[in-house]
Amino acid sequence: MFRNRNRSHREKPQDGSKVLLRGKIILYEGRGDFQHSADTLEDIGDGELLRAFEQLKVKLQKEGLFDVKNKKSIPRLPKHVGVITSPSGAAIQDVLNILERRFPAIKVTILPAQVQGKEAIQQIREALIFANRYKVFPFDVLLLTRGGGSLEDLWPFNSETIARTIAEIDIPIVSAIGHESDTSISDFVADLRAPTPSAAAELISPDQHEWNDSLERNKKMLLRRISITLKNNLAQIQHLKKRLQHPRQRLLELNQRIDNLELRLINKSRFNENKRL
């Protein structure tokens, strides 16, 4: 492939690369050699998958499936987490270990599904639909995850079927597919993307130590406020107590007043009687 032809091709093909060449066959009769003079070169391995990825990405983006306004918020303290992944993979062990360490009170349910291969797309879709319909102890958040792999291994998560199913689910979904450098269509559609399964477990679970510290601070603050309120109320009671007269004293005052009135009445009667005389 001559320079004037290959300078537009960004990637240099390596041994074992799958490529599609277009050009012409040249026969050198004197040596009996054939040569393929290529005009264009296209990847048909990962290159073909990458083109399909970009095409679907553009399509779904235009439809609004990636819009931030459609993203659901992740609960601060989920009571029930559903993890859609392979039950035998390394990812699930990382997730379970971190959730147990950070907040063991969270209930975790594994929704098993193949994460690569022919059956993966259907199984992932069925797990998502099942979780969305499960009402006995509803899920607060779903984690869709798997460990790293090649682009072909991760391809179920670049499926249009999975993307549209994620968009239809009512439960917040965290997507953590592959390594930090891997990006899938599921990541774009999900409500939150995590770079790794371990990071996803960190994002969906609070730190029990931070919560305990916060509760302790709130407890101390509440006790201080209660103490201040009680002191203020006690001072007010003492003030009112000083103003409050004992009932016996009040009765004595009333009795004295009656005696005074009685005396005045007697004196008045005597005065009137003497006047008539």
Side-chain angles (χ1 to χ4, degrees):
M1 193 173 188
F2 295 103
R3 181 178 299 176
N4 65 334
R5 298 292 188 184
N6 68 28
R7 62 188 175 188
S8 63
H9 187 69
R10 296 180 181 177
E11 298 296 332
K12 183 178 180 180
Q14 305 295 325
D15 287 345
S17 299
K18 294 181 181 180
V19 296
L20 175 63
L21 296 175
R22 292 184 176 86
K24 57 186 178 181
I25 298 295
I26 301 173
L27 170 62
Y28 293 95
E29 296 181 3
R31 300 194 305 267
D33 292 339
F34 280 95
Q35 182 180 19
H36 183 191
S37 178
D39 295 324
T40 63
L41 182 150
E42 296 180 34
D43 292 318
I44 59 172
D46 283 357
E48 187 177 21
L49 294 178
L50 286 171
R51 280 195 300 276
F53 174 91
E54 291 297 333
Q55 289 171 359
L56 181 60
K57 180 181 174 183
V58 170
K59 176 183 177 181
L60 298 181
Q61 190 169 22
K62 287 181 178 178
E63 293 183 23
L65 267 69
F66 304 163
D67 288 355
V68 175
K69 64 181 181 181
N70 296 328
K71 307 289 185 183
K72 296 176 283 295
S73 59
I74 308 301
R76 290 186 61 207
L77 178 56
K79 297 178 181 178
H80 194 186
V81 174
V83 184
I84 301 175
T85 190
S86 169
S88 59
I92 187 60
Q93 292 305 319
D94 292 341
V95 169
L96 293 177
N97 290 338
I98 290 174
L99 292 178
E100 176 67 21
R101 172 176 57 82
R102 285 177 61 83
F103 212 93
I106 296 176
K107 178 178 174 60
V108 181
T109 299
I110 301 172
L111 303 171
Q114 289 187 20
V115 291
Q116 69 183 68
K118 294 181 179 179
E119 303 296 326
I121 293 175
Q122 183 61 25
Q123 290 189 18
I124 294 169
R125 180 176 180 275
E126 289 175 355
L128 287 166
I129 294 173
F130 171 83
N132 200 46
R133 293 175 178 173
Y134 187 72
K135 303 302 180 185
V136 178
F137 187 4
F139 294 99
D140 299 302
V141 63
L142 296 176
L143 172 56
L144 182 62
T145 187
R146 65 150 290 160
S150 67
L151 181 59
E152 186 175 1
D153 293 337
L154 304 179
W155 195 249
F157 299 93
N158 294 318
S159 156
E160 183 172 356
T161 299
I162 298 302
R164 295 194 182 280
T165 304
I166 291 173
E168 294 169 359
I169 299 299
D170 301 320
I171 307 167
I173 296 177
V174 178
S175 176
I177 311 302
H179 299 301
E180 188 170 356
S181 58
D182 297 318
T183 305
S184 69
I185 296 294
S186 296
D187 292 336
F188 292 115
V189 185
D191 301 293
L192 180 66
R193 185 248 176 185
T196 63
S198 298
E202 298 266 355
L203 289 171
I204 64 178
S205 61
D207 187 330
Q208 61 174 323
H209 302 296
E210 290 180 1
W211 276 61
N212 285 335
D213 291 344
S214 177
L215 288 172
E216 190 63 29
R217 288 194 300 271
N218 289 333
K219 176 184 174 182
K220 291 179 180 178
M221 181 177 65
L222 183 60
L223 289 174
R224 284 197 301 270
R225 290 185 177 181
I226 290 174
S227 178
I228 292 171
T229 301
L230 288 175
K231 287 181 180 178
N232 291 337
N233 290 343
L234 182 61
Q236 188 176 11
I237 289 172
Q238 294 296 336
H239 175 70
L240 293 174
K241 185 178 179 180
K242 291 179 181 179
R243 295 179 57 193
L244 182 64
Q245 206 172 31
H246 196 282
R248 181 182 296 173
Q249 180 64 32
R250 181 61 175 161
L251 289 173
L252 289 174
E253 290 178 358
L254 291 174
N255 191 44
Q256 182 63 46
R257 185 179 179 188
I258 290 172
D259 289 343
N260 293 337
L261 291 173
E262 183 181 10
L263 182 60
R264 288 176 60 188
L265 183 60
I266 292 172
N267 292 335
K268 185 71 172 176
S269 298
R270 287 177 179 175
F271 175 79
N272 289 336
E273 185 178 348
N274 291 332
K275 190 176 181 181
R276 284 197 302 271
L277 293 174

